[in-house]
Amino acid sequence: MLTEIRIESLGAISVATAEFDRGLTVLTGETGTGKTMVVTGLHLLGGARADATRVRSGSERAVVEGRFSTTDVDDAVTAELDEMLSACGAERDEDGSVIALRSVNRDGPSRAYLGGRSVPAKSLSGFTTQLLALHGQNDQLRLMRPDEQRGALDRFAATGPALERYRKLRDAWLSARRDLIDRRNRTRELAQEADRLKFALNEIEAVDPQPAEDDELVADIVRLSELDTLREAAATAREMLSSSSDDGLGAAEAMGQARGALESATDARLRALADQIAGALTVVVDAVGELGDYLDGLPTDASALDTKLARQAQLRTLTRKYAADIDGVLQWAQESRDRLAQLDVSEEGLAALERRVDDLGRELGQAAIDLSKIRRKAAKKLAKEVTAELSGLAMSDADFTIGVSTDSADPHDPAALILPSGEPARAGADGIDSVDFGFAAHRGMSVLPLAKSASGGELSRVMLALEVVLAASAAGTTMVFDEVDAGVGGWAAVQIGRRLARLARTHQVIVVTHLPQVAAYADVHLVVHSQGPKGASGVRRLDSEDRVAELARMLAGLGESDSGRAHARELLDAAQQDLA
């Protein structure tokens, strides 16, 4: 839940801090004092687009800071929130709460912070939207859009798993269809590409290059080009190390004699030197052996150089066409084989792809039908429950309906999804269904689409009724209503206050209202009031007497009159007795 919000230089508010408790909190105040700026601040914490014109005149930036407690949300949501915090390096405060902050600069970009870390606004939104549900007059307008109506029904029906399965199948089906269409349209082009790849692969396979063979060839060619010089150097070194000559002993033989002479001595120091010479003699003997191997490995046929040069020319033909070196040529060949495997333009390959598209289409069609069944079943229950809620909101004769129909497609549309019944349907990202909310204010009236049949006040009550019903699936969420009671008065206003209080039993509810009947049901009453110079506004928590005065002002602007206060006290007492 939201425990505290602090606002600086936002609209009419200079500096204001408001603390929130569980239950129902109302914000009231004169028009123009900045009540809606509190909701605007929450929208900013929710990741809404920052509007520099909201920065208070004379200030460089506006700042909104909110403190959230997550103790009331379920374990699954808590785990998801912890994962978000960990991903961006954010930390909880000492009391376990999380501080979210958004600053809006008059000149320059806005900034978002979560748990003491700078984060993108999207990350801040991902966190706060798990805890905040914001509803205002704009939400009433959104409620008239078909996609919003479908979304509300899906929340109630918990269509998540079925919708996810449908979307995965739809992605696979669309991908296979695009591949099939591409192959059909580009058969000649793809066939030519396949021929070019086959020719290149045949050329590479004929040469049969080996990894790093070009580097090895360079070393071999250098060695063969200096064959006589290398043979003479190795032979001379071997002879000097291993054999006697007219000029004296070879190195190995001389070292052997030196070791023998020292080993026969009784002095320990000389015997130690004999051991050193023995080690050196071993190295010399090994070197003699390696020189012999080197000489044996030198080619005796002068044509070996020509063979190596010819092989190098073959490899250079490949590196000139396909890559900078042989390893690159081998990689290009592998990638070309993979590409060639995808370029099956044969009749058999095309038929196999057509079968895959058909199979995926059948699976998708069944998944779409399964999703529709869930929605149709939930639509009846949701419509019944919302109608019952409307009855409690002084609309006992109202009738609320939810229609779920198949979004048909032209039978000749090649992109149409053919359902198991044979009916063509448009496979949208959210299914094949069109969802329409219908409404009739009185029995006997024709049920018309919500956008055409509900007045502003009726629409407010429909949205509130819908939220009350949907609230069961979002326990622990803070629900914020910004003047959703617009256009309502009298007994209907009392019923809205009662329903908001009922909703506050399982949720933290924050309401910006101009109706005293609604404010009377609050557990906490905050007032946004003008203070200080230049029209600055602040937020103050009302005690019982101040609350009576504020309700009297809201009733008839008679905050200081005895009659107005008496009427306000009567309204407050009635609301409290109603809640008891």
Side-chain angles (χ1 to χ4, degrees):
M1 74 174 189
L2 177 67
T3 61
E4 183 181 1
I5 187 172
R6 186 173 189 276
I7 299 174
E8 297 180 16
S9 303
L10 185 66
I13 297 178
S14 176
V15 177
T17 300
E19 295 182 355
F20 300 95
D21 294 329
R22 290 179 173 82
L24 175 61
T25 298
V26 298
L27 284 93
T28 64
E30 295 280 5
T31 300
T33 54
K35 299 187 298 296
T36 303
M37 285 301 102
V38 177
V39 179
T40 298
L42 292 175
H43 275 290
L44 286 172
L45 292 181
R49 187 180 67 85
D51 185 355
T53 62
R54 295 287 191 180
V55 178
R56 182 172 173 77
S57 177
S59 300
E60 293 301 319
R61 66 172 185 164
V63 177
V64 181
E65 180 180 330
R67 182 183 292 271
F68 294 89
S69 170
T70 60
T71 55
D72 293 338
V73 299
D74 60 42
D75 293 341
V77 175
T78 300
E80 187 175 351
L81 294 176
D82 286 340
E83 185 177 346
M84 292 181 188
L85 293 174
S86 177
C88 61
E91 297 181 353
R92 293 179 180 270
D93 210 355
E94 293 179 355
D95 61 356
S97 63
V98 180
I99 297 176
L101 186 146
R102 186 85 181 276
S103 67
V104 181
N105 295 323
R106 183 176 297 280
D107 300 312
S110 66
R111 303 291 184 191
Y113 300 87
L114 182 63
R117 292 298 181 95
S118 177
V119 297
K122 185 176 181 181
S123 297
L124 183 64
S125 173
F127 178 84
T128 55
T129 51
Q130 298 285 337
L131 303 172
L132 281 175
L134 303 169
H135 305 281
Q137 295 181 48
N138 289 335
D139 296 276
Q140 297 177 23
L141 298 177
R142 286 201 297 270
L143 186 62
M144 292 188 284
R145 288 169 22 194
D147 57 331
E148 292 290 336
Q149 294 177 3
R150 182 176 54 238
L153 176 59
D154 283 352
R155 281 171 56 195
F156 181 79
T159 59
L163 184 57
E164 182 179 4
R165 177 174 179 268
Y166 167 84
R167 285 173 174 168
K168 286 182 178 179
L169 284 170
R170 178 177 179 269
D171 289 343
W173 178 67
L174 290 175
S175 177
R177 282 189 67 258
R178 285 193 296 267
D179 194 9
L180 178 60
I181 293 171
D182 181 66
R183 291 195 191 188
R184 284 173 174 168
N185 294 340
R186 299 176 56 218
T187 300
R188 180 177 300 176
E189 179 183 343
L190 295 176
Q192 292 173 349
E193 182 182 357
D195 286 342
R196 288 194 297 271
L197 291 176
K198 289 177 182 179
F199 177 85
L201 289 173
N202 288 337
E203 183 178 23
I204 294 172
E205 290 170 2
V207 176
D208 191 24
Q210 302 302 311
E213 184 182 357
D214 47 350
D215 293 334
E216 295 174 4
L217 272 177
V218 170
D220 289 343
I221 290 171
V222 170
R223 188 168 64 251
L224 290 171
S225 299
E226 302 174 355
L227 186 59
D228 293 337
T229 302
L230 296 175
R231 180 180 286 111
E232 181 180 355
T236 300
R238 182 172 181 273
E239 184 177 357
M240 295 298 292
L241 291 174
S242 61
S243 61
S244 301
S245 65
D246 295 339
D247 297 331
L249 298 175
E253 187 175 352
M255 291 174 71
Q257 290 182 9
R259 183 188 64 175
L262 294 176
E263 285 178 341
S264 62
T266 58
D267 185 80
R269 188 173 178 183
L270 291 178
R271 294 179 66 83
L273 289 172
D275 292 339
Q276 293 184 30
I277 293 173
L281 180 57
T282 300
V283 173
V284 171
V285 172
D286 289 343
V288 170
E290 290 186 22
L291 286 169
D293 293 340
Y294 181 82
L295 288 168
D296 292 340
L298 290 175
T300 57
D301 185 0
S303 64
L305 177 60
D306 295 336
T307 302
K308 297 287 186 181
L309 289 171
R311 179 62 176 173
Q312 187 182 51
Q314 288 181 311
L315 297 184
R316 283 180 175 172
T317 300
L318 300 182
T319 56
R320 187 170 60 251
K321 290 182 177 182
Y322 306 113
D325 54 31
I326 287 302
D327 287 348
V329 171
L330 293 174
Q331 181 180 353
W332 184 91
Q334 183 57 51
E335 293 172 354
S336 296
R337 292 189 191 95
D338 295 341
R339 172 61 177 162
L340 192 59
Q342 301 173 0
L343 294 179
D344 185 0
V345 292
S346 65
E347 291 296 330
E348 295 80 6
L350 206 59
L353 186 54
E354 289 175 345
R355 287 194 296 273
R356 173 169 170 72
V357 171
D358 291 341
D359 291 343
L360 286 171
R362 279 190 290 272
E363 287 188 67
L364 179 61
Q366 187 58 54
I369 292 297
D370 293 341
L371 179 60
S372 292
K373 288 180 179 178
I374 296 174
R375 284 173 172 159
R376 292 172 190 272
K377 181 178 179 180
K380 295 180 180 179
K381 183 178 180 182
L382 178 58
K384 182 178 179 180
E385 293 186 17
V386 171
T387 298
E389 281 296 327
L390 288 173
S391 179
L393 290 171
M395 297 178 69
S396 57
D397 285 339
D399 188 15
F400 179 79
T401 65
I402 301 177
V404 181
S405 58
T406 300
D407 194 357
S408 299
D410 189 321
H412 303 294
D413 183 355
L417 175 67
I418 305 303
L419 301 179
S421 62
E423 179 186 3
R426 191 183 70 84
D430 296 301
I432 59 171
D433 303 313
S434 292
V435 176
D436 298 302
F437 286 0
F439 177 77
H442 303 283
R443 297 188 189 280
M445 295 178 60
S446 298
V447 175
L448 298 175
L450 187 62
K452 298 180 179 180
S453 56
S455 66
E458 290 167 345
L459 193 58
S460 297
R461 282 179 277 179
V462 169
M463 192 181 79
L464 180 57
L466 188 62
E467 285 300 332
V468 169
V469 174
L470 295 178
S473 63
T477 302
T478 296
M479 308 190 76
V480 182
F481 295 92
D482 181 17
E483 296 190 2
V484 295
D485 48 17
V488 178
W491 179 242
V494 173
Q495 295 303 310
I496 287 180
R498 181 179 293 165
R499 280 303 182 273
L500 288 170
R502 173 183 168 185
L503 188 60
R505 295 173 185 172
T506 54
H507 296 71
Q508 181 189 38
V509 179
I510 301 171
V511 180
V512 177
T513 183
H514 66 284
L515 294 179
Q517 297 95 325
V518 173
Y521 279 88
D523 299 301
V524 176
H525 191 151
L526 303 176
V527 63
V528 182
H529 62 97
S530 297
Q531 62 177 16
K534 300 180 181 180
S537 295
V539 179
R540 181 165 57 91
R541 184 165 179 161
L542 302 182
D543 58 22
S544 58
E545 287 303 314
D546 287 340
R547 191 173 178 191
V548 170
E550 174 65 7
L551 289 177
R553 181 198 65 79
M554 296 173 70
L555 280 166
L558 302 175
E560 300 301 325
S561 73
D562 292 339
S563 60
R565 293 174 70 89
H567 189 185
R569 193 179 299 279
E570 180 182 358
L571 178 63
L572 187 60
D573 290 343
Q576 299 308 309
Q577 291 176 10
D578 192 17
L579 292 175

